[in-house]
Amino acid sequence: MAYQVLQAQIDPHFIYNALESIRMMAEMHNDPEVANVIFSFSKLMRYSFSVNTAPATIEYELDIVSQYLQVQKIRLGDQLEYQISCPEPLLNEGCPQFVLQPLVENAIKYGRSQDHPGVFVKIDLSMEDGLLTAVVENNGAELDSEKLREINGRLERGQDLSNLSSGTGVGLDSINSRMRYLYPESFKMELKPLPGQGLKVILIWRPAAESKGE
Amino acid sequence: MKILIVDDEKLIAQGVAYVIRQFGEDYGPVDVAFCGREALEKMAAVRYDLVVTDVSMPGISGLDLVEEAKGRGLCDDFCILSGYSEFEYARTALRLGVEDYLLKPVDKAKLKKCWTLLAKSSRAAAWFCSGAGRARRRTVSLAAMSQKSRGSLAARCQSS
C-alpha cells in the first residue's frame, strides 16, 4: 500500500509534457488528425488525474465527454456515432466532475455486442422549473425488467449495486452517492429501457439551490 | 506583433511557434528560446509584444523570467503555458500580472483568444497616444484576468 501511495505521487506533468511534445511533432508534420486525438487524450488524462476542488460546470463536463468521444471515435470508427445536445444557457449550471463521462463510457461499453458492434450514444440536457435533466442513452444495451427494477430500487434507496452481476455497479454507485450527497433534496437517478433496444440513464437535480461544492 | 515562445522542451517551443504561424500572417513573427537566460538575451535585443513561457525550466523558471523581464522593462505582456495547474503557480502568475495562464495541452482557441485581445489593444495603442493606448491595453488585460480569476482560472487550478 505504501509503495502504491508513493508511486501515485509521481508528478503526472511529465505525461502532459511528453504528450504535448508528440502532439507538436504531429502539428509540424502537418498531421492534424493525430495532433487532435493526442490533444483530446491529454485533456482526458488531466481530467482523470485531477482532484477538482472547485464546482465544475456542465460546459466543463461536456467538453470532457466530447474529448472522450473523439478518442473513442478514433478507436471505433463507424461503429460509434454520437449526438450531444445542450441549450447554451445551461452550460454554466453546476455539474460535479465524473458524472456524465462515466455514463457515456458505460453507454459505449454495454451498447456494443458481438452481433451488433455499432452503437449510437445520445447525450441530452434540459432544464424545467429549475430541475436539470441529463439523459445518456444508447441503442444497444438490454437489461431484463426484474434486474432493472432491482437497480432502480437500490439507486433510490442509496444502496450499493456491487453484488449485482450487471457489471455497471461501481460507476453508477459512485455517481449516485456523490449526487445524493451534493443534492440531497432533489437528486434522482433512474434507468429506463428504450422501445425496441437500448437503455437510457436519467439524472435529475436542482443545481442552484443545494450545491455543497466539491 | 512580435512573439517569443520559451520552453525547455524544444518540440513544444517550436510546435507552439508553428501553430501560431498557422493562425495567419497577423500572428508573428514568432521566435523561440529554450531557457530563461536565452529568453532574456533575446528580449534585450528585440522588443516583443508578448512572451509565452513555460513555468518549470532548469535555471531561471518561467515565473522568475516574468518578474525579471518586467523589472527591467523588457516586455509588458506575458502568458504562462504550463503542465502544472497548482494554485500557487497561478496565484504567483496573477500577482505578476500575466495576461493568461494556459495549461498543456494548449487549446488553440484559447491561445488565439489571448493574441486577439492583445492585437486589438495594440491597434488601439497605435490609434491613440501611447499613454491612452497603454491604459486601454492594461484595462483589456485586467478584464480578461478578472474574468478568469472568477471562473475558468479557478476551475483550472486543480491539484493534480
Side-chain angles (χ1 to χ4, degrees):
Chain A
M1 185 64 187
Y3 179 83
Q4 287 170 335
V5 170
L6 288 170
Q7 185 168 291
Q9 289 174 344
I10 293 173
D11 194 339
H13 105 278
F14 160 75
I15 294 171
Y16 308 134
N17 274 324
L19 287 172
E20 192 71 337
S21 287
I22 298 165
R23 174 189 168 212
M24 288 306 165
M25 210 188 302
E27 288 281 2
M28 288 188 284
H29 289 161
N30 203 18
D31 194 338
E33 199 177 3
V34 170
N36 290 343
V37 78
I38 294 169
F39 173 76
S40 295
F41 181 70
S42 188
K43 279 196 91 168
L44 285 172
M45 295 295 286
R46 184 175 283 286
Y47 178 79
S48 303
F49 285 145
S50 69
V51 181
N52 199 351
T53 51
T57 59
I58 292 287
E59 184 176 21
Y60 182 72
E61 188 73 0
L62 284 183
D63 178 38
I64 290 303
V65 163
S66 173
Q67 308 298 344
Y68 175 75
L69 285 165
Q70 283 172 54
V71 173
Q72 287 286 39
K73 184 80 184 154
I74 290 288
R75 293 179 59 220
L76 301 173
D78 292 343
Q79 292 181 4
L80 171 65
E81 298 296 336
Y82 61 88
Q83 179 187 317
I84 302 174
S85 58
C86 176
E88 201 174 333
L90 300 191
L91 292 175
N92 284 328
E93 293 292 346
C95 178
Q97 250 182 277
F98 300 105
V99 167
L100 299 181
Q101 188 273 337
L103 294 179
V104 173
E105 193 170 333
N106 275 353
I108 295 173
K109 186 175 176 184
Y110 298 105
R112 302 174 67 229
S113 63
Q114 197 163 350
D115 294 337
H116 301 282
V119 63
F120 176 68
V121 177
K122 192 172 158 191
I123 300 115
D124 188 61
L125 285 106
S126 59
M127 176 90 100
E128 198 175 330
D129 297 331
L131 283 175
L132 207 152
T133 301
V135 179
V136 177
E137 64 179 62
N138 66 16
N139 62 345
E142 280 185 300
L143 280 175
D144 66 62
S145 54
E146 183 58 35
K147 185 167 280 179
L148 213 53
R149 220 181 354 261
E150 177 68 22
I151 291 174
N152 282 330
R154 292 196 190 190
L155 287 172
E156 195 179 347
R157 295 187 295 272
Q159 294 171 333
D160 76 79
L161 308 170
S162 55
N163 59 348
L164 289 173
S165 58
S166 67
T168 61
V170 176
L172 296 183
D173 264 347
S174 166
I175 294 165
N176 197 39
S177 302
R178 286 183 294 126
M179 293 298 276
R180 284 168 67 95
Y181 170 76
L182 289 169
Y183 308 100
E185 301 297 324
S186 63
F187 181 68
K188 285 186 177 59
M189 182 173 183
E190 192 182 0
L191 275 59
K192 273 189 178 171
L194 288 167
Q197 204 174 24
L199 192 72
K200 68 161 91 172
V201 182
I202 305 164
L203 310 182
I204 299 172
W205 72 99
R206 189 182 300 279
E210 300 170 55
S211 178
K212 296 178 181 178
E214 269 198 322
Chain B
M1 280 179 66
K2 292 196 186 81
I3 298 152
L4 178 66
I5 313 294
V6 190
D7 200 312
D8 62 311
E9 302 216 22
K10 290 188 177 181
L11 276 172
I12 296 179
Q14 290 164 339
V16 171
Y18 177 86
V19 164
I20 292 166
R21 288 186 199 110
Q22 298 294 102
F23 288 163
E25 286 177 4
D26 290 344
Y27 300 86
V30 190
D31 289 340
V32 293
F34 303 126
C35 68
R37 185 191 299 270
E38 186 187 356
L40 285 169
E41 284 169 8
K42 290 198 167 174
M43 274 188 265
V46 177
R47 181 78 191 179
Y48 291 101
D49 296 292
L50 182 65
V51 174
V52 178
T53 179
D54 186 19
V55 171
S56 177
M57 296 185 289
I60 302 169
S61 79
L63 295 173
D64 290 342
L65 172 67
V66 174
E67 195 161 21
E68 184 166 346
K70 284 206 168 200
R72 288 167 55 187
L74 298 177
C75 182
D76 291 328
D77 294 311
F78 291 83
C79 174
I80 300 290
L81 175 56
S82 174
Y84 288 98
S85 60
E86 276 79 353
F87 183 68
E88 273 309 308
Y89 284 132
R91 188 160 65 179
T92 306
L94 276 170
R95 183 175 57 76
L96 292 172
V98 302
E99 305 302 318
D100 209 341
Y101 192 108
L102 302 176
L103 289 176
K104 294 172 185 171
V106 61
D107 186 324
K108 286 185 192 175
K110 285 180 182 164
L111 198 56
K112 203 168 186 175
K113 197 175 168 186
C114 186
W115 260 253
T116 308
L117 273 174
L118 280 174
K120 276 182 186 164
S121 56
S122 290
R123 277 197 288 277
W127 292 336
F128 299 111
C129 67
S130 59
R134 200 174 170 76
R136 167 166 161 64
R137 182 175 169 147
R138 186 54 52 200
T139 306
V140 170
S141 301
L142 285 175
M145 282 317 292
S146 160
Q147 191 182 2
K148 284 185 172 56
S149 58
R150 281 199 305 272
S152 60
L153 182 59
R156 280 186 274 144
C157 292
Q158 308 150 2
S159 54
S160 297

